Amino acid sequence: MSDTKRRLLPMLGHTNGKRSAVTCALKCDNACASAVCNTSSNNYFRDIVSNELSRRSVMGAGAVGALTMLIGANAPQLAPGGTGIAPAVAMKRHGGKGKLKFTPIDPVDALVDDFTVPEGFAWRPVIRWGDPLFRGAPAFDANNQSAAAQAQQFGYNCDYTDIVEIPGSKGRRAVLFANHEYTNESIMFPPELPAGEVRAIARAAHGLSVVQLERKNKNAPWSYIVGAGLNRRYLLDTPYELTGPAAGSEFVKTIDDPAGRTILGTLGNCAGGTTPWGTILSGEENFNGYFITPGTSDADRRYGLTSRPTGRAWETDEPRFDTRNAGYANEANRFGYIVEVDPFDPNSIPKKHSMLGRFKHEGANVIVAGDGRVVAYSGDDERFDYLYKFVSKNTVRTGNSAEDRRANMELLSEGSLYVARFQGNSVPEIDGTGALPSDGAFDGVGEWLPLIIDNESAVPGMSAAEVAVFTRLAADKVGPTKMDRAEDVEPNPATGKVYVACTNNTNRGVPGQAPVDEANPRTRNRDGHIVELTENGGDQTSTRFTWNLLMVCGDPATNSSTYFSGYPKDKVSPISCPDNLAFDTAGNLWISTDGQPGTIGYCDGLFRVGLEGSERGRVDQFLSVPRDGETCGPIIHDDERNVFVAVQHPGEDGAWGAQNSLFPDYVEAGTAPKRGEGALPRPSVIQVFPAERAGKGDDKPGRGHGKGKPRTDDNRGGRDAK
Ligand code: FEO
Ligand code: CA
Ligand code: CA
């Protein structure tokens, strides 16, 4: 085993009851085993009841979503745009009745290497790690990998995914976007592969992919097209235009980019969002693990940047990854942004939008406000970090011209940036046990605190460029609420209500750390919770909101602190560590999880959650991903009853020659890796569809069929929780 790969093997046993130790090391540089980054003593008003804040928030409540611009049902028909196929403002559909009927599956034991869907459904990969994108690109060959081949193939560890139909194709053509968060060298590469080649392939396996899809008709499964005109890999040498206050500032200039406006590559991409104008946003999350820095400045410490050699040792090959090298002091300041790409123009220059701040962006999701401005929500996925909102200066254009599209792609470059403060109304009763307060809810009011207003800094002593680059430090000064790792933050297009997946925080309330508050009410929060936030007056641009917890997660069979908005606890699927969010056409919330094996002992999965009426709080598990894997990027194409997920890091804890998973190909399990496909796990985008459609409209059978045991009252709690 090479030195590089030996360095990648993590110490075992410090997972803090969630992810595997390997995932902790590779994905986020052991963030949970390191000191908490946010040591600021910002006064976030836990014990201060602001009567003024409460009064103003209550005044504006009601009429939720009334001003939210109706996009989708009332949007203009998609029509050819400047690039020939660009869609107009029409991406999010809503309203109407959800058509997806399924019998919830039973949770699947954490050690099972299988992909489980409900009875009556089948599944099949759309695309897998290593599948060729371009004509002449080699087929994946586990034993003959090269950086040149990987650069022409689908990358590793797909996370955010969306599928956007190509206008005018009658539902038969689409583009698929996926990002590639990180690599696991220990299970990807044969041990004899030279360390330098491992690093080069791993670099090429990062980044983004756009792949064109086709199907015979709307009832047939999708296939991807090798060599299609829209196919593109975004690699580490792809130039990105930096926009917003950071662009051209002294904080982002390097010897390679003295103007401070052009950044090569994107790193640590996690979740994302699809904008109403048809572009894709992707969040640069755990970028810190790729850099060596002096590790001595407040900014370094606040962003988890250290002087330790990195696990992947890319600094060996590219001096910019060691910011102590001459000319590269600012290189790490060029990552940690929201990236925007145009999947309909393979020649376009992607952007990094500093107006949305620099932090460990899980992703960003956009909704159009009543006045036509656009609002983007984003979480900083770090223990005790914050929730942010951006409001654009300009309004969205609904036309289809090239000029409309260009203008819409500048919406995220100018405007205002805020950070959230939550105020509970039952503060004295919040004791860390998760016991519901006597008013029957974890709830209260909140305020969006300005960091940048109309492109100008709102933080004393910091310029707008400083706020955009050192956003965590700026936020610390204004007193926002320290959250339990805000992952996906997604506005429901049907109601305008905003949902925040707080995945977990096992440091909450421990000695020396921030105490519980009503928005983060459990000590050592292992299982996470979902915040539901309503902007005042249904105005997405409001600086006031009300909030409540929709769900306090866990396995209710063994955990009395769980809460499902009053839905009977014995009739919900157990759920833990919520991560990515999506909505179906009926306005139901879908939640994918990351970390259940380490908490409630089940494989991660995808869950549908009712939000309204008697169904509110009902949790039904739809699918379960293979051993060690994480469920990402859910897409619910309800009209066609299709569900898509990205399966990230299947078999994470295995090793070359001792793989834990052979997903998705499931060749003879237990055999050593061999030449050719299928003997190692391959992160993939999976489509799930009604089984009667398998084989119809195309020549391929379904890869797998539903065999999930229906959840019943008898079996749902019939095993020991782990
Ligand atoms: Fe990449 Fe926040 O998970
Ligand atoms: Ca309360
Ligand atoms: Ca995530």
Short mmCIF file of all heavy atoms in Angstrom, two decimals, residues 434 436 440-442 522 549-553 560-566 569:
data_model
loop_
_atom_site.label_atom_id
_atom_site.label_comp_id
_atom_site.label_asym_id
_atom_site.label_seq_id
_atom_site.Cartn_x
_atom_site.Cartn_y
_atom_site.Cartn_z
N GLY A 434 -35.71 16.92 24.93
CA GLY A 434 -36.61 16.82 23.80
C GLY A 434 -38.07 16.77 24.21
O GLY A 434 -38.94 16.64 23.35
N LEU A 436 -41.64 17.88 24.83
CA LEU A 436 -42.40 18.93 24.16
C LEU A 436 -42.82 19.98 25.19
O LEU A 436 -43.32 19.65 26.26
CB LEU A 436 -43.63 18.30 23.51
CG LEU A 436 -44.20 18.97 22.26
CD1 LEU A 436 -43.16 19.08 21.15
CD2 LEU A 436 -45.42 18.18 21.77
N GLY A 440 -47.17 22.91 23.41
CA GLY A 440 -47.37 21.88 22.40
C GLY A 440 -46.47 21.97 21.19
O GLY A 440 -46.66 21.22 20.22
N ALA A 441 -45.47 22.85 21.23
CA ALA A 441 -44.62 22.97 20.05
C ALA A 441 -43.27 23.57 20.40
O ALA A 441 -43.16 24.40 21.31
CB ALA A 441 -45.30 23.85 18.99
N PHE A 442 -42.26 23.12 19.67
CA PHE A 442 -41.01 23.87 19.60
C PHE A 442 -41.23 24.93 18.54
O PHE A 442 -41.31 24.63 17.35
CB PHE A 442 -39.85 22.96 19.20
CG PHE A 442 -39.59 21.82 20.16
CD1 PHE A 442 -39.95 20.53 19.83
CD2 PHE A 442 -38.97 22.05 21.38
CE1 PHE A 442 -39.70 19.48 20.70
CE2 PHE A 442 -38.71 21.01 22.26
CZ PHE A 442 -39.09 19.72 21.92
N ARG A 522 -32.39 19.40 21.67
CA ARG A 522 -31.91 18.19 22.33
C ARG A 522 -30.41 18.24 22.61
O ARG A 522 -29.61 18.54 21.73
CB ARG A 522 -32.21 16.95 21.48
CG ARG A 522 -33.68 16.57 21.50
CD ARG A 522 -33.92 15.21 20.89
NE ARG A 522 -33.58 15.17 19.47
CZ ARG A 522 -33.93 14.17 18.67
NH1 ARG A 522 -34.60 13.13 19.14
NH2 ARG A 522 -33.58 14.20 17.39
N LEU A 549 -40.73 23.32 14.78
CA LEU A 549 -40.08 22.07 14.37
C LEU A 549 -41.16 21.14 13.81
O LEU A 549 -42.13 20.82 14.49
CB LEU A 549 -39.35 21.39 15.52
CG LEU A 549 -38.20 22.19 16.16
CD1 LEU A 549 -37.36 21.27 17.05
CD2 LEU A 549 -37.32 22.88 15.13
N LEU A 550 -40.99 20.73 12.55
CA LEU A 550 -41.89 19.77 11.92
C LEU A 550 -41.67 18.40 12.51
O LEU A 550 -42.63 17.63 12.72
CB LEU A 550 -41.62 19.72 10.41
CG LEU A 550 -42.27 18.57 9.65
CD1 LEU A 550 -43.76 18.83 9.49
CD2 LEU A 550 -41.60 18.37 8.29
N MET A 551 -40.44 18.10 12.81
CA MET A 551 -40.09 16.74 13.19
C MET A 551 -38.84 16.74 14.06
O MET A 551 -37.92 17.51 13.81
CB MET A 551 -39.81 15.94 11.90
CG MET A 551 -39.55 14.47 12.08
SD MET A 551 -39.02 13.71 10.53
CE MET A 551 -40.36 14.14 9.44
N VAL A 552 -38.85 15.93 15.08
CA VAL A 552 -37.65 15.66 15.86
C VAL A 552 -37.35 14.18 15.63
O VAL A 552 -38.11 13.31 16.05
CB VAL A 552 -37.86 15.99 17.36
CG1 VAL A 552 -36.60 15.68 18.15
CG2 VAL A 552 -38.25 17.47 17.52
N CYS A 553 -36.24 13.90 14.94
CA CYS A 553 -36.05 12.58 14.33
C CYS A 553 -35.55 11.53 15.32
O CYS A 553 -35.07 11.83 16.40
CB CYS A 553 -35.08 12.69 13.17
SG CYS A 553 -35.61 13.83 11.89
N SER A 560 -38.01 8.29 23.09
CA SER A 560 -39.22 9.03 23.43
C SER A 560 -39.13 10.50 23.07
O SER A 560 -40.13 11.22 23.12
CB SER A 560 -39.51 8.88 24.93
OG SER A 560 -38.44 9.46 25.67
N SER A 561 -37.96 10.99 22.71
CA SER A 561 -37.84 12.41 22.38
C SER A 561 -38.21 12.71 20.93
O SER A 561 -38.11 13.85 20.49
CB SER A 561 -36.42 12.91 22.63
OG SER A 561 -35.51 12.39 21.68
N THR A 562 -38.62 11.70 20.18
CA THR A 562 -39.02 11.95 18.80
C THR A 562 -40.37 12.67 18.76
O THR A 562 -41.18 12.60 19.70
CB THR A 562 -39.14 10.63 18.02
OG1 THR A 562 -39.99 9.74 18.75
CG2 THR A 562 -37.78 10.00 17.83
N TYR A 563 -40.61 13.39 17.66
CA TYR A 563 -41.83 14.17 17.51
C TYR A 563 -42.15 14.25 16.02
O TYR A 563 -41.27 14.53 15.20
CB TYR A 563 -41.62 15.58 18.09
CG TYR A 563 -42.71 16.56 17.78
CD1 TYR A 563 -43.98 16.45 18.35
CD2 TYR A 563 -42.48 17.63 16.92
CE1 TYR A 563 -44.98 17.37 18.07
CE2 TYR A 563 -43.46 18.56 16.63
CZ TYR A 563 -44.71 18.43 17.21
OH TYR A 563 -45.70 19.33 16.93
N PHE A 564 -43.39 14.00 15.66
CA PHE A 564 -43.79 13.98 14.25
C PHE A 564 -45.03 14.86 14.05
O PHE A 564 -46.01 14.43 13.43
CB PHE A 564 -44.02 12.54 13.79
CG PHE A 564 -42.79 11.67 13.91
CD1 PHE A 564 -42.54 10.94 15.08
CD2 PHE A 564 -41.86 11.61 12.89
CE1 PHE A 564 -41.40 10.16 15.21
CE2 PHE A 564 -40.71 10.83 13.00
CZ PHE A 564 -40.47 10.11 14.17
N SER A 565 -45.01 16.04 14.60
CA SER A 565 -46.12 16.99 14.49
C SER A 565 -47.44 16.37 14.94
O SER A 565 -48.50 16.68 14.40
CB SER A 565 -46.25 17.52 13.05
OG SER A 565 -45.23 18.44 12.78
N GLY A 566 -47.36 15.47 15.89
CA GLY A 566 -48.56 14.87 16.45
C GLY A 566 -49.05 13.62 15.72
O GLY A 566 -50.00 12.97 16.18
N LYS A 569 -46.92 8.05 16.64
CA LYS A 569 -45.52 7.62 16.51
C LYS A 569 -45.39 6.15 16.12
O LYS A 569 -44.36 5.74 15.60
CB LYS A 569 -44.79 7.85 17.84
CG LYS A 569 -44.54 9.29 18.17
CD LYS A 569 -43.64 9.37 19.40
CE LYS A 569 -43.39 10.80 19.82
NZ LYS A 569 -42.43 10.87 20.94
#
